[in-house]
Amino acid sequence: MGFTGRLGTGNSRLGNILLGVADVLGYGVTDFRVHQVESNKIRVKFDTRVNLVSALQLPKYTLAVVSAPGPFILPSIRSVIRYDATEASIQINLDKNLTTG
């Protein structure tokens, strides 16, 4: 599991949240970028095409909080779906919004 995706920063309202991605290519973790699509949706853009059968498996992804302002409830990952036709992007749907409180 490689924790290389970051949502927010230590100074943002969202806090410093990391996204961990396990092997989705069959030979190791690839580089990826993340961004918040909506308050409960995260897009993961891999640097290369991925095996969608593997990349759409929920256990491949983990969220972790490094720091967050005030009380913070870390959402659970509800589902993973294909984001677009490039086979290099997926969308992670969360059970709660990424907010404080």
Side-chain angles (χ1 to χ4, degrees):
M1 178 82 51
F3 284 94
T4 56
R6 186 173 294 229
L7 291 166
T9 66
N11 296 324
S12 73
R13 183 169 176 247
L14 186 57
N16 197 346
I17 301 169
L18 301 180
L19 173 70
V21 178
D23 181 8
V24 294
L25 292 177
Y27 55 83
V29 176
T30 184
D31 288 334
F32 61 93
R33 293 177 305 281
V34 297
H35 75 271
Q36 190 172 350
V37 176
E38 294 178 18
S39 59
N40 65 342
K41 296 177 182 173
I42 302 167
R43 178 184 182 207
V44 180
K45 169 78 169 112
F46 296 100
D47 287 346
T48 186
R49 294 176 86 167
V50 295
N51 177 337
L52 284 179
V53 172
S54 179
L56 296 178
Q57 294 177 2
L58 196 101
K60 299 283 185 179
Y61 305 94
T62 303
L63 288 174
V65 176
V66 174
S67 64
F72 187 84
I73 299 169
L74 186 65
S76 297
I77 296 172
R78 186 184 57 192
S79 63
V80 180
I81 61 171
R82 184 179 183 162
Y83 185 81
D84 57 24
T86 65
E87 295 187 13
S89 294
I90 57 99
Q91 178 177 296
I92 295 174
N93 299 311
L94 306 172
D95 68 342
K96 294 180 180 62
N97 294 337
L98 287 168
T99 59
T100 56

